[in-house]
Amino acid sequence: MALLLTVEFSFAQQATPAPTQSRENYLNKSQNQKIGAWFLMLGGVALLVRTAGNHAVNSISNVPPPFPIVPVALSAGCIGGSIALFKASSRNKKKTLGAAAYFNILSIPSTQSATSGTTFVPAFSIKLN
């Protein structure tokens, strides 16, 4: 039962439309993504340098150590994730420069056949920054 409820809430339509993002929101999001990307990049490079140092120290002995695949894969994943965050940051920064168009759902009071209620109508709005 819990699984069915989880699936229903995961794939159900959103009842209220998401608010439109302002220029400041996109700039703030871009800055946060850039900071996170730098942390990932520096962490991945630091892990890669530390792994290479340990591998060089351990390879001085007569028996060569196995290749450290897990730390190298983790550092490559961190560096790859930081590249993706840098691209997302630049994309969000570009969103602040141009005009924005949004699809909204407007609620309009209506009366049909002697009953009053609310009708939802799709609308298109343009916001110039």
Side-chain angles (χ1 to χ4, degrees):
M1 190 65 176
L3 179 64
L4 290 175
L5 287 174
T6 304
V7 170
E8 178 185 352
F9 289 122
S10 298
F11 295 108
Q13 271 188 331
Q14 185 177 3
T16 58
T20 57
Q21 297 288 328
S22 68
R23 183 175 191 264
E24 292 80 23
N25 290 351
Y26 279 120
L27 285 175
N28 190 22
K29 186 176 182 180
S30 172
Q31 183 67 27
N32 290 341
Q33 285 174 334
K34 193 175 285 190
I35 290 171
W38 277 113
F39 277 120
L40 274 176
M41 177 69 79
L42 292 176
V45 169
L47 181 62
L48 191 61
V49 167
R50 175 74 177 170
T51 302
N54 281 347
H55 190 67
V57 167
N58 291 339
S59 65
I60 294 174
S61 65
N62 292 337
V63 179
F67 184 73
I69 190 69
V70 173
V72 170
L74 282 175
S75 63
C78 287
I79 292 170
S82 71
I83 292 170
L85 271 179
F86 277 126
K87 286 185 178 185
S89 171
S90 67
R91 188 173 48 245
N92 280 327
K93 198 166 191 176
K94 286 179 185 177
K95 284 183 183 180
T96 65
L97 299 177
Y102 304 102
F103 288 107
N104 294 329
I105 303 294
L106 298 178
S107 59
I108 300 172
S110 67
T111 56
Q112 293 178 349
S113 64
T115 60
S116 63
T118 304
T119 304
F120 296 100
V121 178
F124 184 74
S125 62
I126 297 175
K127 180 181 177 184
L128 300 174
N129 291 332

